[in-house]
């Protein structure tokens, strides 16, 4: 069976500090990978998606970047966090060309 | 930009009652997913509907996709406290690589 992990589960960081959130998937190969942000009352916003190693598509201009150094590893980064980066960050995977997405447990980021 | 409007935003009812929540858009989707999310956790996939007019049942939950594939509904019969959560609908366009377009969700509380 497939599992998806995210860490850390919670993070409190000061404004201007760097960020690295990690997501890994087990039990499947060549998944599509996604990063979403969920702010209170605003639903889920797609940030990045990837169809393969080193292939990243960005949906919105922002202070964040993503990388996929390995087939089942997806990293969300920032060089300098802003207050507006606070939120609940969710990683998801899907099989290639499939509609269903499966979400990780999320990371709660608070920028102070 | 594809938008999904969910209604109602909040719903609080007594155990044993029936309810319907709606997901509407002016855009056509190739498929639509329903998720349930509990506080502090990632969304969990409930169902995917693909064909216009399709109806799927999951125990006491009935999902319907509109004939024009622009809207969907979720009906819960004899609601139970365990049904409490945030219900999200998400639409997928053509191609499997893109992320999903999410509605803001319906916060459902079932009071015992």
């Amino acid at each position: 069976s497939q599992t998806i992990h995210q860490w850390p589960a919670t993070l409190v960081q000061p404004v201007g500090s760097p960020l690295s959130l990690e997501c890994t998937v087990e039990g499947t190969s060549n998944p599509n990978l996604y990063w979403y942000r969920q702010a209170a009352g605003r639903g889920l916003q797609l940030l990045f998606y990837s169809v393969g190693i080193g292939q990243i598509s960005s949906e919105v201009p922002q202070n964040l970047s993503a990388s996929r150094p390995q087939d089942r590893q997806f990293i969300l980064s920032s060089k300098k966090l802003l207050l507006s980066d606070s939120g609940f960050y969710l990683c998801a995977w899907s099989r290639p060309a499939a509609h269903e997405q499966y979400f990780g447990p999320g990371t709660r980021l608070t920028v102070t | 930009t594809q938008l999904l409007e969910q209604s109602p935003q909040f719903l609080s009812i007594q155990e044993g009652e029936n309810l319907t929540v709606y997901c509407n858009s002016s855009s056509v989707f190739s498929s639509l997913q329903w998720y349930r999310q509990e506080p502090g956790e990632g969304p969990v996939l409930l169902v995917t509907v693909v064909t216009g007019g399709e109806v799927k049942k999951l125990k006491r939950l009935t999902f319907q996709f509109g004939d024009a594939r622009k809207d969907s509904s979720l009906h819960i019969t004899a609601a139970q406290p365990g049904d409490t959560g945030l219900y999200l609908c998400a639409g997928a366009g053509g191609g499997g690589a893109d992320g999903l377009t999410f509605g803001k969700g319906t916060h459902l509380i079932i009071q015992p």
Side-chain angles (χ1 to χ4, degrees):
Chain A
S1 63
Q2 299 83 23
T3 56
I4 179 169
H5 304 279
Q6 287 186 245
W7 64 89
T10 60
L11 190 60
V12 180
Q13 292 283 97
V15 168
S17 64
L19 173 74
S20 181
L21 303 181
E22 189 165 342
C23 170
T24 58
V25 181
E26 297 177 353
T28 188
S29 296
N30 195 32
N32 291 339
L33 296 173
Y34 309 85
W35 278 112
Y36 291 88
R37 177 169 58 204
Q38 185 175 31
R42 297 188 65 181
L44 276 70
Q45 180 187 33
L46 178 64
L47 302 176
F48 301 94
Y49 67 90
S50 171
V51 300
I53 295 174
Q55 301 178 62
I56 309 294
S57 296
S58 175
E59 288 295 299
V60 293
Q62 58 208 318
N63 185 41
L64 303 169
S65 62
S67 61
R68 185 171 176 173
Q70 301 181 40
D71 180 46
R72 290 170 289 178
Q73 184 185 32
F74 206 21
I75 297 172
L76 183 68
S77 303
S78 174
K79 292 182 179 178
K80 289 185 178 182
L81 283 168
L82 306 172
L83 286 175
S84 58
D85 292 323
S86 293
F88 191 48
Y89 287 83
L90 289 157
C91 181
W93 73 273
S94 72
R95 293 181 177 84
H99 297 292
E100 294 83 358
Q101 294 186 16
Y102 302 94
F103 287 82
T107 295
R108 172 72 60 190
L109 171 66
T110 303
V111 182
T112 60
Chain B
T1 303
Q2 297 177 318
L3 293 175
L4 279 168
E5 299 289 337
Q6 288 191 245
S7 61
Q9 292 186 37
F10 298 93
L11 183 60
S12 179
I13 63 173
Q14 294 295 122
E15 181 178 1
E17 294 183 6
N18 301 334
L19 67 108
T20 302
V21 298
Y22 300 93
C23 176
N24 296 298
S25 176
S26 58
S27 301
V28 176
F29 292 97
S30 55
S31 73
L32 196 138
Q33 286 82 46
W34 283 92
Y35 294 81
R36 181 168 64 210
Q37 184 179 22
E38 303 203 13
E41 300 181 7
V44 175
L45 179 67
L46 296 175
V47 77
T48 298
V49 286
V50 179
T51 305
E54 181 177 6
V55 177
K56 283 192 174 179
K57 291 191 176 183
L58 185 65
K59 296 183 180 179
R60 294 174 294 99
L61 279 60
T62 302
F63 304 85
Q64 184 163 9
F65 202 14
D67 291 341
R69 291 187 288 129
K70 294 183 179 180
D71 54 82
S72 181
S73 64
L74 160 59
H75 182 79
I76 302 179
T77 303
Q80 300 178 0
D83 296 327
T84 293
L86 176 66
Y87 287 82
L88 295 160
C89 66
D98 297 337
L100 298 171
T101 299
F102 278 84
K104 292 186 179 181
T106 292
H107 293 267
L108 177 63
I109 296 174
I110 309 301
Q111 300 179 20

